[in-house]
Amino acid sequence: MLGSIPDLLRLVAVPVFGWAAYRDVKTRRVPNRTWTPLAVLAVLLLLWDAYAVWTGPLSVGQRLFFVRVAISLGFVVPLSYAFWYIGGFGGADAKAFMLVAVLFPVYPVYYLPTVALPLQQTAIGVFSLTILSNTVLAGVAYPVAVALGNLARGRLSPAMVIGRPVTVADVTEEYGRLLESPDGFDRRGLDLDALRMYLRWRGCTLEDIRSDPTRHRLPTSLPRVPNDPGDGSLATDGGEPAADADDEADAARQAGDDEAFDDPWGAERFLSDIDHSAYGTSPDQLRDGLEVLTEREEVWVSPGIPFLVPMFVGLVVSLTYGDVLFSVLQALGLA
C-alpha cells in the first residue's frame, strides 16, 4: 500500500492548491467555496488519525502525535490570522495556511518501490511548519529572479528587485502596485486594484483621463451618481461614462470655481463614497498615482507574486523532498 488511507486522501490538496494558485495568478481572487470541502475533509481526517492513535497502544509516538497537532493548530493557525490582520496575508492566503495546519499537522508517509516520501523530516515533526518554511523559501526566490531578469535586460532602477517596467497603456491589465510617485521611487505607490475601482466608480477609462487630465482633475467632473466600484478585478477597466460628467466639468470651468481644487481628482470623495476600503489606499496615494500615470509613458510596477503560488510549490516540495531549510541547517551543522 502506498500509504495510510488518511494520508492518501490528503493528496487531494495538491490539485486544489494548484488550481487556487492558477486562479491567484490570473485573477488574484480565490472563491471561499474553494476551501470549504477541503476544510471538512481536513477535520474528518484529523479526527480519524486522532481516534486511531488514541485507541492504539500507549507509546511515546502517541504523545508526540498530540503534541505535534497542538503545535500545528496552536501556532500556525494564530500566526496565519496575525499575518492577515496586519495585512501581510490576503484572506485566501490566511485560509489556505489555516487549512494546511489542520490537514497536515504531522508528517504523512508515502511508500514508493525504493523509497519513502517525504525524504527529509525534521526533529520536531510538524509538517505544517515544513510547508510554511518551504513556502517562505520559494517566495524569497522570486525577487532574486526578478532582479536577475531586470539586470539581464539592462533595466537598472531602485525598483529592479521588486518590479518591472510596464507601459502606461497596459497598467490597467496588471495586478500589483505602482512603484513610483511624482517624487520618484516609492514602494507604497498606488494599488492597481484601487485604480480600477476608481476608474469604474467615476465611469471612465485611464485613456480618457490621460487625454484631458486638467478636466478630470476637477472634482466637479465626477458623476452625480457614481458607478459601483467593484473589487478592482480585471473584469473591467472603468465603466460607461456618466451622462452628466462632461456638463458638470464644463460648468465648473466656466464658473471658475476655486473650490473645485479642494479635492484634486475627487480622491477624497471616492474613498468616502465607497462602502469598503480600496485596499488601504489614501487620497494622496491615489492623487500621486494619477499624476504619474498622466505624465509618463512607462512606469515600474510591483506585480507582487500571489502567495498561493509559493505555497503550492512549498506543498509539493514538502510532500516529495521534505524540509529544505532543515537540510540546509543540517549541512551547516546547525540542526
Side-chain angles (χ1 to χ4, degrees), residues 88-165:
F89 279 173
D93 305 329
K95 293 184 183 79
F97 252 125
M98 292 178 186
L99 178 60
V100 162
V102 181
L103 189 61
F104 291 107
V106 299
Y107 270 78
V109 181
Y110 303 102
Y111 299 100
L112 299 182
T114 60
V115 70
L117 302 178
L119 298 174
Q120 178 65 68
Q121 299 193 18
T122 63
I124 193 171
V126 179
F127 194 55
S128 59
L129 291 180
T130 289
I131 298 172
L132 176 61
S133 66
N134 285 342
T135 296
V136 171
L137 291 177
V140 168
Y142 175 73
V144 174
V146 169
L148 292 176
N150 284 326
L151 184 62
R153 294 172 175 83
R155 301 168 177 169
L156 303 180
S157 164
M160 64 181 291
V161 177
I162 57 175
R164 58 187 177 86

Side-chain angles (χ1 to χ4, degrees), residues 36-107:
T36 304
L38 205 54
V40 173
L41 178 65
V43 172
L44 292 176
L45 294 179
L46 180 57
L47 293 174
W48 185 337
D49 280 342
Y51 176 78
V53 172
W54 183 262
T55 57
L58 184 63
S59 65
V60 174
Q62 184 187 61
R63 290 191 292 269
L64 282 176
F65 172 83
F66 289 105
V67 169
R68 288 163 177 163
V69 169
I71 293 173
S72 187
L73 300 184
F75 178 74
V76 177
V77 171
L79 182 67
S80 301
Y81 178 82
F83 269 100
W84 168 80
Y85 187 78
I86 65 175
F89 279 173
D93 305 329
K95 293 184 183 79
F97 252 125
M98 292 178 186
L99 178 60
V100 162
V102 181
L103 189 61
F104 291 107
V106 299
Y107 270 78

Side-chain angles (χ1 to χ4, degrees), residues 157-176:
S157 164
M160 64 181 291
V161 177
I162 57 175
R164 58 187 177 86
V166 174
T167 59
V168 170
D170 295 331
V171 158
T172 53
E173 300 301 318
E174 299 285 339
Y175 284 109

Side-chain angles (χ1 to χ4, degrees), residues 98-332:
M98 292 178 186
L99 178 60
V100 162
V102 181
L103 189 61
F104 291 107
V106 299
Y107 270 78
V109 181
Y110 303 102
Y111 299 100
L112 299 182
T114 60
V115 70
L117 302 178
L119 298 174
Q120 178 65 68
Q121 299 193 18
T122 63
I124 193 171
V126 179
F127 194 55
S128 59
L129 291 180
T130 289
I131 298 172
L132 176 61
S133 66
N134 285 342
T135 296
V136 171
L137 291 177
V140 168
Y142 175 73
V144 174
V146 169
L148 292 176
N150 284 326
L151 184 62
R153 294 172 175 83
R155 301 168 177 169
L156 303 180
S157 164
M160 64 181 291
V161 177
I162 57 175
R164 58 187 177 86
V166 174
T167 59
V168 170
D170 295 331
V171 158
T172 53
E173 300 301 318
E174 299 285 339
Y175 284 109
R177 68 172 58 245
L178 291 180
L179 292 174
E180 299 185 50
S181 72
D183 298 325
F185 173 66
D186 185 357
R187 292 193 60 176
R188 298 296 300 169
L190 175 61
D191 187 292
L192 298 183
D193 279 355
L195 172 65
R196 279 184 287 273
M197 291 173 63
Y198 171 78
L199 293 173
R200 180 164 176 76
W201 175 82
R202 72 174 294 162
C204 67
T205 66
L206 184 57
E207 183 181 353
D208 294 333
I209 288 180
R210 283 172 55 82
S211 67
D212 192 354
T214 300
R215 178 172 69 84
H216 287 89
R217 198 176 281 112
L218 296 171
T220 47
S221 69
L222 300 175
R224 287 193 179 94
V225 181
N227 299 306
D228 180 356
D231 63 356
S233 68
L234 283 174
T236 181
D237 171 21
E240 293 299 323
D244 58 356
D246 289 343
D247 293 340
E248 287 193 24
D250 291 340
R253 284 199 301 273
Q254 292 171 7
D257 188 357
D258 292 335
E259 292 183 0
F261 294 93
D262 290 345
D263 181 20
W265 301 107
E268 289 186 16
R269 180 181 164 188
F270 162 64
L271 294 170
S272 63
D273 185 66
I274 61 177
D275 60 2
H276 53 85
S277 170
Y279 304 98
T281 301
S282 69
D284 286 339
Q285 282 178 315
L286 180 55
R287 292 182 188 121
D288 287 348
L290 290 169
E291 294 293 344
V292 168
L293 292 171
T294 55
E295 295 172 358
R296 304 179 190 174
E297 297 301 322
E298 187 177 79
V299 291
W300 281 83
V301 172
S302 170
I305 185 172
F307 199 71
L308 285 174
V309 175
M311 191 182 300
F312 173 64
V313 174
L315 174 63
V316 172
V317 171
S318 299
L319 288 168
T320 52
Y321 179 78
D323 199 300
V324 176
L325 180 61
F326 188 74
S327 294
V328 172
L329 294 176
Q330 270 193 329
L332 296 174

Side-chain angles (χ1 to χ4, degrees), residues 7-29:
D7 283 349
L8 292 175
L9 289 174
R10 287 183 171 95
L11 292 177
V12 172
V14 175
V16 173
F17 272 77
W19 179 83
Y22 173 80
R23 281 274 304 182
D24 210 13
V25 170
K26 290 296 184 180
T27 68
R28 294 302 199 273
R29 305 291 187 274

